[in-house]
Amino acid sequence: MAKNTVFTVIAPIYNEVESIPKLWERLSEVMEKAGAPWELILVDDGSTDGSTELIRDLAKKHTSVRPVIFARNFGHQVAVSAGMDYSRGDAVIIIDADLQDPPELILDMITKWKEGYEVVYAVRSEREGETWFKRVTASVFYRLIYRITDVKIPLDTGDFRLIDRAVVNIMVRMKERHRFLRGMAAWVGFKQVGLPYKRAARFAGVTKYPFRKMLKLALNAITGFSYFPLQVATYIGFISAGLSILAIPVVIIVRLTVANSFFGQASTLISVLFLGGVQLISLGILGEYIGRIYDEVKGRPLYIVREEPADFDKSPTGKGANQ
Ligand code: UDP
Ligand code: MG
């Protein structure tokens, strides 16, 4: 480890008031063992349960805590991205605030980092305290993404990982709005390695990822890293056109040889409705991509910060955020 190594830990927080004290306790214990100076960036993603006040208090007591407080809820992936913007460490560790990711694993990550890996991601070999529905949807999601996207995003990995400064600097420059950080980290490349771990149950509170948010994340992952959905319309078009052409001689022959064939409108109606449905779905998929292009073109800031860390230096030459 270089002499002046500094670590950054980023924890996004959305209504985690019960977990924060324990998070601080376990993280500071672990980082003490790591034996290098460190900073904890707590990104408050529009909490309304008193987490904000708790984060402010913690920052007053410990100079290593640097709060980034959002003006509203911008979402988990954006909160982590903001943490990266403000980070100063040589290695950045991303961890959930609900203690589902065991902080103790950070030491193993640091060991791998010292061995020369630039990205050390944690692989969930077991999951505790999560519903059957969450496990199945998560598993299907990871496998689907793996199959249809162009970058090989490791299976069963979340955002709990250590990322070297070199990779963080590149990710900070990737300004896409609909972010899927695991995909972005895989896209960058460098030397990456997985560390299996047992994902614990939440320390307190309930999940902040309802089905709606999970679906949004899945759509970001798919549209961000693949054109496959756009191509589906082409495939279906070719298949149905091919089938129609094949059907023409069949219909002629049947019509000429079998009396009273093809009466009734049900078959016509069904095929028209089927293709109408396929067309509307294709239109929707197109809309999904166009909406995203529109968002990119507007070029609004990714997030709005209400309060920055006290030591944040805005001057052009200052060692402040990477924004
Ligand atoms: N989170 C956030 N903004 C959100 C949703 C979640 O910052 O809009 C944080 C949350 O506080 C937690 C982490 O992201 O630290 C992971 O969320 P959660 O534990 O609810 O997701 P799950 O583990 O259930 O997938
Ligand atoms: Mg969680």
Side-chain angles (χ1 to χ4, degrees):
M1 194 155 62
K3 223 168 63 203
N4 302 323
T5 303
V6 177
F7 292 112
T8 299
V9 179
I10 300 172
I13 291 177
Y14 182 45
N15 296 341
E16 305 282 6
V17 73
E18 292 154 278
S19 305
I20 295 171
K22 192 81 190 161
L23 176 76
W24 166 253
E25 195 186 304
R26 277 178 69 183
L27 271 177
S28 42
E29 224 168 81
V30 165
M31 295 315 289
E32 186 82 24
K33 285 189 197 143
W38 70 295
E39 58 175 13
L40 172 62
I41 301 190
L42 295 174
V43 185
D44 175 30
D45 187 14
S47 299
T48 50
D49 68 340
S51 297
T52 318
E53 290 70 25
L54 202 60
I55 294 171
R56 282 196 198 114
D57 281 353
L58 211 58
K60 269 192 211 128
K61 276 194 231 143
H62 310 279
T63 46
S64 50
V65 175
R66 303 177 68 221
V68 176
I69 296 171
F70 277 2
R72 65 167 169 86
N73 179 255
F74 281 89
H76 168 233
Q77 300 283 300
V78 175
V80 173
S81 305
M84 286 181 160
D85 287 340
Y86 284 92
S87 71
R88 301 177 297 197
D90 302 290
V92 171
I93 297 125
I94 300 165
I95 191 165
D96 279 0
D98 60 357
L99 291 166
Q100 281 198 283
D101 307 328
E104 294 69 29
L105 199 74
I106 294 176
L107 295 175
D108 297 333
M109 290 181 171
I110 292 175
T111 309
K112 285 276 169 210
W113 178 65
K114 284 185 199 158
E115 283 171 21
Y117 291 97
E118 277 100 354
V119 178
V120 187
Y121 52 84
V123 184
R124 302 162 177 175
S125 57
E126 273 178 65
R127 302 171 79 113
E128 250 177 27
E130 285 179 316
T131 61
W132 167 90
F133 180 74
K134 175 109 188 177
R135 286 181 207 210
V136 172
T137 45
S139 173
V140 169
F141 165 68
Y142 290 125
R143 274 143 197 91
L144 179 79
I145 303 286
Y146 191 82
R147 280 194 77 97
I148 70 169
T149 55
D150 307 325
V151 283
K152 289 302 161 219
I153 302 163
L155 292 173
D156 301 317
T157 51
D159 288 310
F160 183 29
R161 57 183 63 214
L162 178 149
I163 310 178
D164 185 84
R165 168 57 45 197
V167 178
V168 170
N169 284 348
I170 297 168
M171 289 177 73
V172 161
R173 275 170 37 215
M174 293 163 76
K175 287 293 177 200
E176 61 213 68
R177 330 199 48 74
H178 299 278
R179 301 172 85 77
F180 184 60
L181 294 167
R182 299 155 223 188
M184 289 163 64
W187 181 87
V188 171
F190 285 85
K191 265 177 84 179
Q192 310 213 355
V193 68
L195 269 185
Y197 79 109
K198 194 170 141 198
R199 188 157 163 87
R202 258 182 168 273
F203 176 71
V206 292
T207 176
K208 309 300 175 326
Y209 256 99
F211 185 66
R212 180 178 48 83
K213 278 193 185 170
M214 269 163 42
L215 197 67
K216 213 171 129 193
L217 185 70
L219 280 176
N220 287 350
I222 295 169
T223 54
F225 292 92
S226 165
Y227 298 132
F228 179 74
L230 288 174
Q231 293 159 340
V232 170
T234 321
Y235 300 142
I236 297 179
F238 271 113
I239 292 169
S240 55
L243 284 177
S244 310
I245 290 171
L246 285 180
I248 293 170
V250 176
V251 170
I252 293 174
I253 293 166
V254 172
R255 185 91 205 186
L256 291 176
T257 54
V258 186
N260 283 341
S261 54
F262 296 115
F263 58 87
Q265 295 160 351
S267 50
T268 321
L269 201 65
I270 288 170
S271 51
V272 167
L273 282 179
F274 173 75
L275 268 188
V278 169
Q279 281 169 351
L280 285 179
I281 293 169
S282 312
L283 215 68
I285 293 174
L286 243 143
E288 203 58 55
Y289 279 86
I290 293 175
R292 277 151 213 272
I293 298 172
Y294 181 49
D295 277 344
E296 295 293 347
V297 170
K298 275 190 288 193
R300 289 186 186 158
L302 196 57
Y303 53 85
I304 303 295
V305 173
R306 192 193 170 97
E307 281 170 51
E308 289 176 324
D311 57 5
F312 175 63
D313 183 357
K314 271 207 185 94
S315 66
T317 49
K319 176 93 183 78
N322 294 309
Q323 291 192 76

